[in-house]
Amino acid sequence: MAFNIASSPHTHSRRSTRDIMRTVILCTTLGVAAQWYFFGWGVLIQVLLASGVAVGAEAAVLKLRKRPILPYLRDNSALLTGVLLGISIPPLSPWWLTVIGVVFAIVIAKHLYGGLGQNLFNPAMVAYVVLLISFPVQMTTWLPPESLIAHPTSLLDSVLAIFTGFTQDGFSVHQLRMSVDGITMATPLDTLKTSLTTGHTTTEILAGPVFGSIAGVGWEWINIGFLIGGIIMLKMRIIQWHIPAGMLGTLFVISTLAFIIHPDGTASPIMHLFSGATMLGAFFIATDPVSASTTVKGRIIFGALIGLLVFFIRTWGGYPDGVAFGVLLANMCVPLIDYYTRPRTYGHS
């Protein structure tokens, strides 16, 4: 009888990469549903387009690398990258923008480093930042919520706007951004940031129609949807609490201090937590097991660093939201964080 020797750990998880990725995708459902409800059919079209291109690009690269295609496609990692990037792109962005972003995420940010498990940065966020820097106009063309929009869009309008640039009535995406008052609307964070630079106080700004009860109209519910999805993942032990707690806790504490010191010149902590991509970033982006820190203390520091960077970029940076930049900058620090937070080896002082 052979005596097999194996190294620890001896208790193995029954979850495969395929199951984990699929669960994460399903947990985005509430946030995506809220995003679709407030911003229309373009949200679902972008997610479907990005997902399809991601799977196609993954298959093409695997073919070029002479790797088996189906086993790698079944791990759902490419599909998850497509979903996350599709969520992040404005609903009526042109189709070529989504294609460029997804191809960059799969080919450059993922496979150039060797594929799944070897990428240094989160592929979806790398692609998002590349698109934001290269095509700032298209990447900032978010529509007003459906309740404030002057020209509501149907499914056919959304398809035509994405693939031709105009709806069936001839409205361009720029015209669709007009509110019922004839004002071109921006996202709540962009509105707040721009208005503060023109001398308005936070109280005056928050009285605008784009702001809701606790944050921006629609955005507060989108963030609540992703928060619920994140809690489900925590409950299922798909992710651990350290990174979301570090990011959200730091963002809350520092924004609270800033709000106490200068309430008329900065956003409230609730506004920071439930605006933009905060909850999506905390639970679905920053927790990427490949590009995040691997030690317990390191995860808390990693999350806290992202929260700090998000606040700094939102307050003093050139972009209204800083989640993508915060995650990528923290990814750069992961080797250093892991080095100084390595757990002490058992038996060594």
Side-chain angles (χ1 to χ4, degrees), residues 152 157 160 166-171 175:
D157 287 329
L160 291 174
F166 297 92
T167 66
Q168 56 184 334
D169 293 325
F171 292 111
Q175 290 172 317

Side-chain angles (χ1 to χ4, degrees), residues 130-150:
V130 168
L131 292 177
L132 186 61
I133 294 173
S134 304
F135 309 101
V137 175
Q138 290 81 2
M139 286 297 290
T140 54
T141 53
W142 283 89
L143 297 183
E146 288 286 315
S147 60
L148 301 176
I149 195 171

Side-chain angles (χ1 to χ4, degrees), residues 100-124:
I100 291 174
V102 173
V103 170
F104 191 93
I106 298 298
V107 177
I108 305 299
K110 180 181 178 181
H111 281 282
L112 187 65
Y113 290 95
L116 180 64
Q118 301 182 59
N119 47 286
L120 300 179
F121 304 97
N122 184 286

Side-chain angles (χ1 to χ4, degrees), residues 189 192 196 202 255-256 258-259 262-263 265-272 311:
L189 283 175
L192 179 67
L196 285 174
T202 303
S255 60
T256 299
F259 191 70
H262 190 27
T266 185
S268 68
I270 299 300
M271 178 76 179
H272 275 290
F311 177 80

Side-chain angles (χ1 to χ4, degrees), residues 188-231:
L189 283 175
D190 196 8
T191 301
L192 179 67
K193 191 180 187 69
T194 303
S195 299
L196 285 174
T197 60
T198 59
H200 293 80
T201 65
T202 303
T203 304
E204 294 171 340
I205 299 168
L206 295 181
V210 74
F211 296 96
S213 302
I214 59 176
V217 173
W219 290 99
E220 52 198 18
W221 290 105
I222 292 169
N223 276 275
I224 289 172
F226 287 124
L227 172 61
I228 295 173
I231 293 173

